[in-house]
Each structure stands twice: as C-alpha cells, then as structure tokens.
Amino acid sequence: MLSNFLVCVWAVLPLFILMLIGAAVKWKGLLTAEEVSRLNHMIFVVCYPCMMFENLYGADLAQAFDLGLILFGVGSVLTVCAVSIPIVMKIEPSQRSRGAMIQAIYRSNFIIMGLPMAINVYGRGNVAVTAVLIAVVVPLYNVLAVVILEVFRGGKPNVKTVVKGVVTNPIILGAIAGLFFVFTGIRLPAPIETVIGDLSVTATTMALVVLGASFSFRSLERCRRNLVICVTGRLIAVPGIFLTAAAAAGFRGVAFVSLVSMLAAPTAISSYTMAESMGSDGELAGNCVIFSSALSCLTLFLWLFLFKNLGMF
C-alpha cells in the first residue's frame, strides 16, 4: 500500500510544485500577462514538437502502436462529446456558454498534465504508446472544438480551415517527424539528439510553470454553476466512467496509465484560447482551465492511487 502511495505521489507532486512556482513567479511580478502568453506560444511552437518527436524517435512501433488503445481513446472522446451536447443543451439556455461547457468537459490537457504524469510513472523514453495516442487524440480534440464552437455561435464550420489547422499543428508535425525516423530507421547526429532532448525536457517544466503563472481568478458569480458542472464532469464523471470501462476491457500497464493521462487530466489550456477567439464564453472557459488544473493535482493522485491498488499498472 505504501509503495503504491509513493508511486502516485511522485507522479503528481512534481506537476503541482511546478505550478506553484509559476504562481509565485506571477505573484512576484517577474512576468507580465503578455510575457506569459508569448512564452506559452513559444513552448507550443518550439518545445512541444520536440517532446512529441523524442517520445516516438527510436521507438519500437510494433509496441508503440496499440490499435485497441487508440480505438478506445477515440471512442471515449466521441462518446463524452456526444453525451455532453444534449445534457448541456438541457441545462444551459445560452448558446454562447454551451460551446464552452461542452469543450471544457471533453477536452483534456493531455500534453501538459497527462504526458508528464505518464513519464513520471514509467520514465522518459518509455511512453511511446502515450505519444502515439496523443498524435491521434489531439487532432480530434481540435476538429471537435472548431465544429462545436462554430455551431453554437450560429456559424458553419469551414472544412478547409479545420484541415489546415490540424496538419499545421506543431505537435502533429513533431509526431510526423518522429514517425518518419521510426519508419526509415535514420538516426540524427548525436548533438542534434541532445538538443532535441534538452528542449523536450524544457517543454514539461516550462509549460507547467507558465500554467501556474496563468492563474487569474476571474469573477465567479455569473458562471459558478456551470463551472462546477464542467469541473465535476472533467475530473470526476469522465474518468470515473471510462477508466472503469478501460479496466473492464483489460487495459493494463502503460496503456492504462496513458488513458488515465488522457481521461483524468484537467481542461486543456487551448480551450480558453479557442473559446475567446470563436465568440464563445471565454470567462467560463478560462475559469474551467484554472480550477480544473488546480483541483486535478488531487484528483489525478486519487485516480492513480485507486487503480494502482487495483493492479491496473
């Protein structure tokens, strides 16, 4: 029991500490809101692709590509989205808030919170399965977000724009580059491998610090009810239902931890950016990111501890 407890603490505690450091950085005024935004964009464009690349580069694709895991992951996302739509439409009359709520419930922060947690459990270089799942699920997140936000603001999704956004996503480009080297067997020069590895390590650290520095508690009076619904759905209902189903379906080891990383992670930071840019309820979306990220340090630990004791990994 104690060893299981420690495994779960070591998986989540570093994420929490890094976010606390980010919050302290903001409190001391070391970064402005504009600098935080620019840093976040730099990490997304430069560091994330390297992290995706490194986790696939040199991997055994036969072991990394788990079709059953990918189908379960995709099916989970589509099911959560499909179930959320009628529920949200029933309880929330505002079209502007509906899109933000649905996105907050189905779209997790798989890369910033989920992947580092999987690495903390299994070690860097041992989570190629997780990286492949990310390469499939993240584009799906993006496509669904564009469609949902566009529909709920009364527009019609532009297929060309959606496709372009997916294929030019830096994370997807990093995954494609990693898969290219896996298929061809080409090795990069050692100095280049070192640089990519260093940037990959930087991605996790900086992204969590910047996430902590992004915390800004907006007015809760207007959106308190919807915030509780979204955070509860994201951190409790979704992982509770689908991780139980994953355990029953026989997923174990790194495959199961990959699903915990995807299903139990907090609301994606990019959901706020997209909600703001597409005329949705940006205030609600931002609060969902902030509160789910803070509370996920506890809920992620509890889900890991529960399923570790049940022998799932």
Side-chain angles (χ1 to χ4, degrees), residues 20-37:
L20 279 181
I21 292 171
V25 165
K26 180 179 181 179
W27 177 63
K28 294 295 289 184
L30 299 179
L31 289 174
T32 66
E34 182 182 353
E35 288 168 340
V36 168
S37 178

mmCIF file with all atom_site columns, all heavy atoms in Angstrom, residues 20-37:
data_model
loop_
_atom_site.group_PDB
_atom_site.id
_atom_site.type_symbol
_atom_site.label_atom_id
_atom_site.label_alt_id
_atom_site.label_comp_id
_atom_site.label_asym_id
_atom_site.label_entity_id
_atom_site.label_seq_id
_atom_site.pdbx_PDB_ins_code
_atom_site.Cartn_x
_atom_site.Cartn_y
_atom_site.Cartn_z
_atom_site.occupancy
_atom_site.B_iso_or_equiv
_atom_site.pdbx_formal_charge
_atom_site.auth_seq_id
_atom_site.auth_comp_id
_atom_site.auth_asym_id
_atom_site.auth_atom_id
_atom_site.pdbx_PDB_model_num
ATOM 1   N N   . LEU A 1 20 ? 2.989  25.688 -8.658  1.00 0.00 ? 20 LEU A N   1
ATOM 2   C CA  . LEU A 1 20 ? 3.156  26.615 -7.534  1.00 0.00 ? 20 LEU A CA  1
ATOM 3   C C   . LEU A 1 20 ? 4.273  27.620 -7.814  1.00 0.00 ? 20 LEU A C   1
ATOM 4   O O   . LEU A 1 20 ? 4.158  28.803 -7.492  1.00 0.00 ? 20 LEU A O   1
ATOM 5   C CB  . LEU A 1 20 ? 3.469  25.840 -6.252  1.00 0.00 ? 20 LEU A CB  1
ATOM 6   C CG  . LEU A 1 20 ? 2.290  25.206 -5.506  1.00 0.00 ? 20 LEU A CG  1
ATOM 7   C CD1 . LEU A 1 20 ? 2.795  24.512 -4.246  1.00 0.00 ? 20 LEU A CD1 1
ATOM 8   C CD2 . LEU A 1 20 ? 1.242  26.246 -5.143  1.00 0.00 ? 20 LEU A CD2 1
ATOM 9   N N   . ILE A 1 21 ? 5.359  27.135 -8.420  1.00 0.00 ? 21 ILE A N   1
ATOM 10  C CA  . ILE A 1 21 ? 6.459  28.039 -8.787  1.00 0.00 ? 21 ILE A CA  1
ATOM 11  C C   . ILE A 1 21 ? 5.966  29.087 -9.773  1.00 0.00 ? 21 ILE A C   1
ATOM 12  O O   . ILE A 1 21 ? 6.285  30.281 -9.658  1.00 0.00 ? 21 ILE A O   1
ATOM 13  C CB  . ILE A 1 21 ? 7.637  27.239 -9.376  1.00 0.00 ? 21 ILE A CB  1
ATOM 14  C CG1 . ILE A 1 21 ? 8.292  26.375 -8.284  1.00 0.00 ? 21 ILE A CG1 1
ATOM 15  C CG2 . ILE A 1 21 ? 8.671  28.170 -10.010 1.00 0.00 ? 21 ILE A CG2 1
ATOM 16  C CD1 . ILE A 1 21 ? 9.314  25.386 -8.811  1.00 0.00 ? 21 ILE A CD1 1
ATOM 17  N N   . GLY A 1 22 ? 5.155  28.649 -10.747 1.00 0.00 ? 22 GLY A N   1
ATOM 18  C CA  . GLY A 1 22 ? 4.591  29.599 -11.714 1.00 0.00 ? 22 GLY A CA  1
ATOM 19  C C   . GLY A 1 22 ? 3.712  30.639 -11.040 1.00 0.00 ? 22 GLY A C   1
ATOM 20  O O   . GLY A 1 22 ? 3.775  31.832 -11.373 1.00 0.00 ? 22 GLY A O   1
ATOM 21  N N   . ALA A 1 23 ? 2.885  30.190 -10.086 1.00 0.00 ? 23 ALA A N   1
ATOM 22  C CA  . ALA A 1 23 ? 2.026  31.130 -9.361  1.00 0.00 ? 23 ALA A CA  1
ATOM 23  C C   . ALA A 1 23 ? 2.869  32.135 -8.574  1.00 0.00 ? 23 ALA A C   1
ATOM 24  O O   . ALA A 1 23 ? 2.537  33.329 -8.502  1.00 0.00 ? 23 ALA A O   1
ATOM 25  C CB  . ALA A 1 23 ? 1.094  30.361 -8.428  1.00 0.00 ? 23 ALA A CB  1
ATOM 26  N N   . ALA A 1 24 ? 3.991  31.664 -7.992  1.00 0.00 ? 24 ALA A N   1
ATOM 27  C CA  . ALA A 1 24 ? 4.887  32.548 -7.247  1.00 0.00 ? 24 ALA A CA  1
ATOM 28  C C   . ALA A 1 24 ? 5.560  33.555 -8.185  1.00 0.00 ? 24 ALA A C   1
ATOM 29  O O   . ALA A 1 24 ? 5.735  34.727 -7.830  1.00 0.00 ? 24 ALA A O   1
ATOM 30  C CB  . ALA A 1 24 ? 5.947  31.729 -6.515  1.00 0.00 ? 24 ALA A CB  1
ATOM 31  N N   . VAL A 1 25 ? 5.913  33.094 -9.381  1.00 0.00 ? 25 VAL A N   1
ATOM 32  C CA  . VAL A 1 25 ? 6.511  33.985 -10.384 1.00 0.00 ? 25 VAL A CA  1
ATOM 33  C C   . VAL A 1 25 ? 5.558  35.130 -10.716 1.00 0.00 ? 25 VAL A C   1
ATOM 34  O O   . VAL A 1 25 ? 5.952  36.301 -10.796 1.00 0.00 ? 25 VAL A O   1
ATOM 35  C CB  . VAL A 1 25 ? 6.867  33.186 -11.660 1.00 0.00 ? 25 VAL A CB  1
ATOM 36  C CG1 . VAL A 1 25 ? 7.135  34.123 -12.833 1.00 0.00 ? 25 VAL A CG1 1
ATOM 37  C CG2 . VAL A 1 25 ? 8.076  32.298 -11.418 1.00 0.00 ? 25 VAL A CG2 1
ATOM 38  N N   . LYS A 1 26 ? 4.280  34.804 -10.874 1.00 0.00 ? 26 LYS A N   1
ATOM 39  C CA  . LYS A 1 26 ? 3.279  35.843 -11.164 1.00 0.00 ? 26 LYS A CA  1
ATOM 40  C C   . LYS A 1 26 ? 3.094  36.762 -9.967  1.00 0.00 ? 26 LYS A C   1
ATOM 41  O O   . LYS A 1 26 ? 3.015  37.984 -10.112 1.00 0.00 ? 26 LYS A O   1
ATOM 42  C CB  . LYS A 1 26 ? 1.954  35.201 -11.541 1.00 0.00 ? 26 LYS A CB  1
ATOM 43  C CG  . LYS A 1 26 ? 0.883  36.232 -11.863 1.00 0.00 ? 26 LYS A CG  1
ATOM 44  C CD  . LYS A 1 26 ? -0.414 35.597 -12.255 1.00 0.00 ? 26 LYS A CD  1
ATOM 45  C CE  . LYS A 1 26 ? -1.426 36.689 -12.584 1.00 0.00 ? 26 LYS A CE  1
ATOM 46  N NZ  . LYS A 1 26 ? -2.721 36.145 -13.002 1.00 0.00 ? 26 LYS A NZ  1
ATOM 47  N N   . TRP A 1 27 ? 3.019  36.168 -8.768  1.00 0.00 ? 27 TRP A N   1
ATOM 48  C CA  . TRP A 1 27 ? 2.798  36.957 -7.548  1.00 0.00 ? 27 TRP A CA  1
ATOM 49  C C   . TRP A 1 27 ? 3.934  37.967 -7.331  1.00 0.00 ? 27 TRP A C   1
ATOM 50  O O   . TRP A 1 27 ? 3.697  39.096 -6.900  1.00 0.00 ? 27 TRP A O   1
ATOM 51  C CB  . TRP A 1 27 ? 2.700  36.006 -6.356  1.00 0.00 ? 27 TRP A CB  1
ATOM 52  C CG  . TRP A 1 27 ? 2.541  36.699 -5.044  1.00 0.00 ? 27 TRP A CG  1
ATOM 53  C CD1 . TRP A 1 27 ? 1.519  37.499 -4.631  1.00 0.00 ? 27 TRP A CD1 1
ATOM 54  C CD2 . TRP A 1 27 ? 3.472  36.643 -3.945  1.00 0.00 ? 27 TRP A CD2 1
ATOM 55  N NE1 . TRP A 1 27 ? 1.736  37.942 -3.352  1.00 0.00 ? 27 TRP A NE1 1
ATOM 56  C CE2 . TRP A 1 27 ? 2.926  37.437 -2.899  1.00 0.00 ? 27 TRP A CE2 1
ATOM 57  C CE3 . TRP A 1 27 ? 4.686  35.986 -3.727  1.00 0.00 ? 27 TRP A CE3 1
ATOM 58  C CZ2 . TRP A 1 27 ? 3.574  37.607 -1.677  1.00 0.00 ? 27 TRP A CZ2 1
ATOM 59  C CZ3 . TRP A 1 27 ? 5.323  36.154 -2.508  1.00 0.00 ? 27 TRP A CZ3 1
ATOM 60  C CH2 . TRP A 1 27 ? 4.761  36.953 -1.498  1.00 0.00 ? 27 TRP A CH2 1
ATOM 61  N N   . LYS A 1 28 ? 5.166  37.563 -7.661  1.00 0.00 ? 28 LYS A N   1
ATOM 62  C CA  . LYS A 1 28 ? 6.322  38.457 -7.504  1.00 0.00 ? 28 LYS A CA  1
ATOM 63  C C   . LYS A 1 28 ? 6.458  39.444 -8.662  1.00 0.00 ? 28 LYS A C   1
ATOM 64  O O   . LYS A 1 28 ? 7.342  40.308 -8.638  1.00 0.00 ? 28 LYS A O   1
ATOM 65  C CB  . LYS A 1 28 ? 7.601  37.625 -7.380  1.00 0.00 ? 28 LYS A CB  1
ATOM 66  C CG  . LYS A 1 28 ? 7.679  36.768 -6.131  1.00 0.00 ? 28 LYS A CG  1
ATOM 67  C CD  . LYS A 1 28 ? 7.742  37.595 -4.856  1.00 0.00 ? 28 LYS A CD  1
ATOM 68  C CE  . LYS A 1 28 ? 9.079  38.300 -4.698  1.00 0.00 ? 28 LYS A CE  1
ATOM 69  N NZ  . LYS A 1 28 ? 9.182  39.024 -3.418  1.00 0.00 ? 28 LYS A NZ  1
ATOM 70  N N   . GLY A 1 29 ? 5.603  39.303 -9.683  1.00 0.00 ? 29 GLY A N   1
ATOM 71  C CA  . GLY A 1 29 ? 5.644  40.235 -10.807 1.00 0.00 ? 29 GLY A CA  1
ATOM 72  C C   . GLY A 1 29 ? 6.815  40.032 -11.752 1.00 0.00 ? 29 GLY A C   1
ATOM 73  O O   . GLY A 1 29 ? 7.222  40.959 -12.458 1.00 0.00 ? 29 GLY A O   1
ATOM 74  N N   . LEU A 1 30 ? 7.363  38.817 -11.786 1.00 0.00 ? 30 LEU A N   1
ATOM 75  C CA  . LEU A 1 30 ? 8.517  38.548 -12.652 1.00 0.00 ? 30 LEU A CA  1
ATOM 76  C C   . LEU A 1 30 ? 8.114  38.421 -14.116 1.00 0.00 ? 30 LEU A C   1
ATOM 77  O O   . LEU A 1 30 ? 8.963  38.565 -15.005 1.00 0.00 ? 30 LEU A O   1
ATOM 78  C CB  . LEU A 1 30 ? 9.222  37.262 -12.199 1.00 0.00 ? 30 LEU A CB  1
ATOM 79  C CG  . LEU A 1 30 ? 9.783  37.275 -10.767 1.00 0.00 ? 30 LEU A CG  1
ATOM 80  C CD1 . LEU A 1 30 ? 10.426 35.942 -10.432 1.00 0.00 ? 30 LEU A CD1 1
ATOM 81  C CD2 . LEU A 1 30 ? 10.786 38.408 -10.599 1.00 0.00 ? 30 LEU A CD2 1
ATOM 82  N N   . LEU A 1 31 ? 6.847  38.103 -14.377 1.00 0.00 ? 31 LEU A N   1
ATOM 83  C CA  . LEU A 1 31 ? 6.341  38.014 -15.744 1.00 0.00 ? 31 LEU A CA  1
ATOM 84  C C   . LEU A 1 31 ? 5.016  38.769 -15.843 1.00 0.00 ? 31 LEU A C   1
ATOM 85  O O   . LEU A 1 31 ? 4.176  38.666 -14.946 1.00 0.00 ? 31 LEU A O   1
ATOM 86  C CB  . LEU A 1 31 ? 6.116  36.550 -16.148 1.00 0.00 ? 31 LEU A CB  1
ATOM 87  C CG  . LEU A 1 31 ? 7.332  35.664 -16.392 1.00 0.00 ? 31 LEU A CG  1
ATOM 88  C CD1 . LEU A 1 31 ? 6.879  34.224 -16.629 1.00 0.00 ? 31 LEU A CD1 1
ATOM 89  C CD2 . LEU A 1 31 ? 8.144  36.153 -17.586 1.00 0.00 ? 31 LEU A CD2 1
ATOM 90  N N   . THR A 1 32 ? 4.846  39.499 -16.935 1.00 0.00 ? 32 THR A N   1
ATOM 91  C CA  . THR A 1 32 ? 3.564  40.144 -17.194 1.00 0.00 ? 32 THR A CA  1
ATOM 92  C C   . THR A 1 32 ? 2.635  39.159 -17.898 1.00 0.00 ? 32 THR A C   1
ATOM 93  O O   . THR A 1 32 ? 3.078  38.109 -18.380 1.00 0.00 ? 32 THR A O   1
ATOM 94  C CB  . THR A 1 32 ? 3.738  41.385 -18.080 1.00 0.00 ? 32 THR A CB  1
ATOM 95  O OG1 . THR A 1 32 ? 4.192  40.948 -19.380 1.00 0.00 ? 32 THR A OG1 1
ATOM 96  C CG2 . THR A 1 32 ? 4.753  42.349 -17.491 1.00 0.00 ? 32 THR A CG2 1
ATOM 97  N N   . ALA A 1 33 ? 1.350  39.499 -17.973 1.00 0.00 ? 33 ALA A N   1
ATOM 98  C CA  . ALA A 1 33 ? 0.383  38.635 -18.653 1.00 0.00 ? 33 ALA A CA  1
ATOM 99  C C   . ALA A 1 33 ? 0.767  38.450 -20.120 1.00 0.00 ? 33 ALA A C   1
ATOM 100 O O   . ALA A 1 33 ? 0.629  37.350 -20.674 1.00 0.00 ? 33 ALA A O   1
ATOM 101 C CB  . ALA A 1 33 ? -1.020 39.223 -18.535 1.00 0.00 ? 33 ALA A CB  1
ATOM 102 N N   . GLU A 1 34 ? 1.280  39.503 -20.747 1.00 0.00 ? 34 GLU A N   1
ATOM 103 C CA  . GLU A 1 34 ? 1.673  39.409 -22.156 1.00 0.00 ? 34 GLU A CA  1
ATOM 104 C C   . GLU A 1 34 ? 2.879  38.488 -22.317 1.00 0.00 ? 34 GLU A C   1
ATOM 105 O O   . GLU A 1 34 ? 2.942  37.674 -23.249 1.00 0.00 ? 34 GLU A O   1
ATOM 106 C CB  . GLU A 1 34 ? 2.012  40.797 -22.707 1.00 0.00 ? 34 GLU A CB  1
ATOM 107 C CG  . GLU A 1 34 ? 2.393  40.775 -24.183 1.00 0.00 ? 34 GLU A CG  1
ATOM 108 C CD  . GLU A 1 34 ? 2.781  42.139 -24.720 1.00 0.00 ? 34 GLU A CD  1
ATOM 109 O OE1 . GLU A 1 34 ? 2.640  43.136 -23.987 1.00 0.00 ? 34 GLU A OE1 1
ATOM 110 O OE2 . GLU A 1 34 ? 3.238  42.205 -25.877 1.00 0.00 ? 34 GLU A OE2 1
ATOM 111 N N   . GLU A 1 35 ? 3.824  38.576 -21.400 1.00 0.00 ? 35 GLU A N   1
ATOM 112 C CA  . GLU A 1 35 ? 5.005  37.708 -21.464 1.00 0.00 ? 35 GLU A CA  1
ATOM 113 C C   . GLU A 1 35 ? 4.634  36.245 -21.236 1.00 0.00 ? 35 GLU A C   1
ATOM 114 O O   . GLU A 1 35 ? 5.184  35.350 -21.889 1.00 0.00 ? 35 GLU A O   1
ATOM 115 C CB  . GLU A 1 35 ? 6.029  38.165 -20.427 1.00 0.00 ? 35 GLU A CB  1
ATOM 116 C CG  . GLU A 1 35 ? 6.718  39.474 -20.786 1.00 0.00 ? 35 GLU A CG  1
ATOM 117 C CD  . GLU A 1 35 ? 7.498  40.067 -19.635 1.00 0.00 ? 35 GLU A CD  1
ATOM 118 O OE1 . GLU A 1 35 ? 7.227  39.699 -18.465 1.00 0.00 ? 35 GLU A OE1 1
ATOM 119 O OE2 . GLU A 1 35 ? 8.387  40.901 -19.885 1.00 0.00 ? 35 GLU A OE2 1
ATOM 120 N N   . VAL A 1 36 ? 3.698  36.008 -20.334 1.00 0.00 ? 36 VAL A N   1
ATOM 121 C CA  . VAL A 1 36 ? 3.220  34.640 -20.103 1.00 0.00 ? 36 VAL A CA  1
ATOM 122 C C   . VAL A 1 36 ? 2.598  34.075 -21.376 1.00 0.00 ? 36 VAL A C   1
ATOM 123 O O   . VAL A 1 36 ? 2.849  32.936 -21.763 1.00 0.00 ? 36 VAL A O   1
ATOM 124 C CB  . VAL A 1 36 ? 2.197  34.606 -18.943 1.00 0.00 ? 36 VAL A CB  1
ATOM 125 C CG1 . VAL A 1 36 ? 1.486  33.259 -18.893 1.00 0.00 ? 36 VAL A CG1 1
ATOM 126 C CG2 . VAL A 1 36 ? 2.894  34.871 -17.617 1.00 0.00 ? 36 VAL A CG2 1
ATOM 127 N N   . SER A 1 37 ? 1.787  34.905 -22.051 1.00 0.00 ? 37 SER A N   1
ATOM 128 C CA  . SER A 1 37 ? 1.140  34.474 -23.293 1.00 0.00 ? 37 SER A CA  1
ATOM 129 C C   . SER A 1 37 ? 2.165  34.158 -24.373 1.00 0.00 ? 37 SER A C   1
ATOM 130 O O   . SER A 1 37 ? 2.052  33.145 -25.081 1.00 0.00 ? 37 SER A O   1
ATOM 131 C CB  . SER A 1 37 ? 0.177  35.568 -23.776 1.00 0.00 ? 37 SER A CB  1
ATOM 132 O OG  . SER A 1 37 ? -0.418 35.208 -24.992 1.00 0.00 ? 37 SER A OG  1
#
